[in-house]
Amino acid sequence: MNAIPTSVLDRLKNAVGPKGFIADPADMEPFLTEWRDLYRGVSPLILRPGTAAVVAEILKICNDTGTKVVPQGGNTSLCGGSVPFDGGDEIVLSLGRMNAVRSTDPLNDTITVEAGCVLEQVQNAADDIGRYFPLRIGSQGSCQIGGNLSTNAGGTAVLHYGNTRDLVLGLEVVLADGRIWDGLRGLRKDNTGYDLKQLFIGAEGTLGVITAAVLKLFPKPSDVQTAFVAVPNVGAAVSLLEVARQQSGDQVTAFEIIPRIGIDIVTRHIPDTVDPIADPHPWYLLIELSSGGTGGGLRATLEAILAAGLEAGLVRDATLAESGAQGEMFWRIRDGMSEAQKPEGGSIKHDISVPISRIAEFIERADAAVDAIVPGFRSIAFGHIGDGNVHYNPMQPADADKQAFLAKWHEVSTAVHEVTAELGGSISAEHGLGRLKRDEITRFKSPLEIELMRGLKQSFDPKGILNPGKVVASA
């Protein structure tokens, strides 16, 4: 039995047409399970509209009938924000068919794309006109730009280009009642009141459904230099970041930290990966510099940074990429960090940020807190040290029982988040809140902040049909 009346489902099917919905249970399955397998939902219908006008018709029907809607992009969410609950009373609104690049403007350095465009498609379209779209994340071959916008995705280039919200000039959004806000402006300066687009970026589809966006483009880097660097500790890595930014004139576009255990599990489980440095070291950095210059001086700059690091005791060893292929091999190690954890057993994942100056203290204190709960756990701390974002993933002790370890998820996360808060950090740096952290966030935001968030939700979605139960709970 469907929790949504058949008459409403028939109206929705008519709105999208025979090619715009999925009702077969087997075909629906990929839309109902999220990437980490933490959540699996139930829905009687997957809707796949082809235009913003059809999205508007869907939301008008749902608003009139009180039918709940879960907007979904590539379904690569890590916090359960893109899948329904198990009550069967929500329809999934998948934007994948809305995948057109509407226009490009090289002189204005902008591209206008629909929400269903896969991120890699946007990158390639920018490349085709000699430009660069800098959002880079591990799922870029499957995630969609609408989901990137809705979660304010981060990635490996944030320290140079900013988060997704920094890359957006305009949006097209369908509101809960079916009205379409056309904010597709390619302006870098528009001081005419509230910046409405920023309300929808990072809102995870709870305030409106993003259907298109005007995105910033940048000059294509012509010189990219990459190094894999061994460092003695996390404090040395943070100090080397300061050296790199100063000596390069802030041309550092990636600065990723990897622990020794990360090298071990990646080379064990990810094909075609090898340790770039012969002798083992406790910590490693993947450093990338890039520029649009053609003089070839960036290689010398990177070498000078590493030489200064060696002299100061911040660097133990390093390998510089001699080709683009070798640089890609370095990145394969970094990008394989999440995938390589799965065969190792249970992993309790955290996506935190703290001030860069306190990253070393965070890892030390978090390790101590988790070890008091799970003695002998394996610490996997990696990620975007250049912007203070650490993916802190305590992994089960070797040969331990996976389910017994995962049963401590709440206790471990509480301890990690407490350390994060004490250091002035955030419990979600780039993955959003979804349903995983919806209640947890109330412990770390002030009552006034939660009140304001609930007020926005009530104002934009008074009937509560848009991705209910995600980001912020009802009062």
Side-chain angles (χ1 to χ4, degrees), residues 200-220:
F200 299 102
I201 299 172
E204 301 185 50
T206 61
L207 302 181
V209 177
I210 296 172
T211 50
V214 182
L215 305 173
K216 295 180 186 177
L217 300 180
F218 296 83
K220 187 190 301 186

Side-chain angles (χ1 to χ4, degrees), residues 165 168-170 181 185 190 192-201:
R165 69 170 67 253
V168 181
L169 294 176
W181 172 54
R185 305 181 185 95
D190 181 4
T192 53
Y194 306 126
D195 191 353
L196 295 177
K197 68 178 181 293
Q198 295 296 349
L199 295 176
F200 299 102
I201 299 172

Side-chain angles (χ1 to χ4, degrees), residues 202-273:
E204 301 185 50
T206 61
L207 302 181
V209 177
I210 296 172
T211 50
V214 182
L215 305 173
K216 295 180 186 177
L217 300 180
F218 296 83
K220 187 190 301 186
S222 56
D223 189 2
V224 178
Q225 298 294 329
T226 311
F228 209 88
V229 182
V231 294
N233 51 57
V234 179
V238 172
S239 297
L240 187 63
L241 172 63
E242 182 181 10
V243 172
R245 298 189 73 171
Q246 289 181 346
Q247 293 206 13
S248 70
D250 211 16
Q251 292 177 306
V252 184
T253 46
F255 206 86
E256 301 285 302
I257 194 165
I258 302 170
R260 177 64 226 178
I261 190 175
I263 303 292
D264 293 338
I265 65 172
V266 167
T267 54
R268 186 154 59 232
H269 299 296
I270 305 299
D272 303 319
T273 55

Side-chain angles (χ1 to χ4, degrees), residues 319-389:
T319 299
L320 279 69
E322 299 295 339
S323 65
Q326 189 176 16
E328 290 175 5
M329 188 272 284
F330 293 170
W331 275 107
R332 185 166 175 77
I333 294 171
R334 166 59 184 88
D335 292 340
M337 286 292 297
S338 295
E339 183 182 348
Q341 292 177 53
K342 285 188 174 182
E344 293 286 326
S347 177
I348 301 177
K349 301 182 184 299
H350 305 85
D351 163 46
I352 69 91
S353 65
V354 294
I356 295 171
S357 58
R358 309 198 77 174
I359 290 174
E361 182 182 359
F362 164 77
I363 294 175
E364 180 180 357
R365 290 180 55 182
D367 280 354
V370 176
D371 195 62
I373 301 168
V374 186
F377 87 102
R378 294 174 288 172
S379 177
I380 307 287
F382 68 100
H384 322 304
I385 192 172
D387 56 46
N389 179 190

Side-chain angles (χ1 to χ4, degrees), residues 97-120:
R97 289 180 64 209
M98 295 183 59
N99 56 9
V101 175
R102 292 188 183 176
S103 65
T104 58
D105 188 343
L107 294 180
N108 195 43
D109 282 323
T110 55
I111 184 170
T112 303
V113 300
E114 292 183 339
C117 284
V118 171
L119 174 55
E120 199 168 70

Side-chain angles (χ1 to χ4, degrees), residues 53-96:
V54 175
V55 175
E57 180 63 22
I58 290 169
L59 291 191
K60 186 177 186 303
I61 293 169
C62 290
N63 196 59
D64 289 346
T65 60
T67 303
K68 301 171 186 177
V69 182
V70 180
Q72 188 179 99
N75 198 22
T76 58
S77 166
L78 296 174
C79 293
S82 62
V83 294
F85 287 88
D86 57 8
D89 59 348
E90 300 171 291
I91 61 104
V92 174
L93 181 64
S94 172
L95 281 297

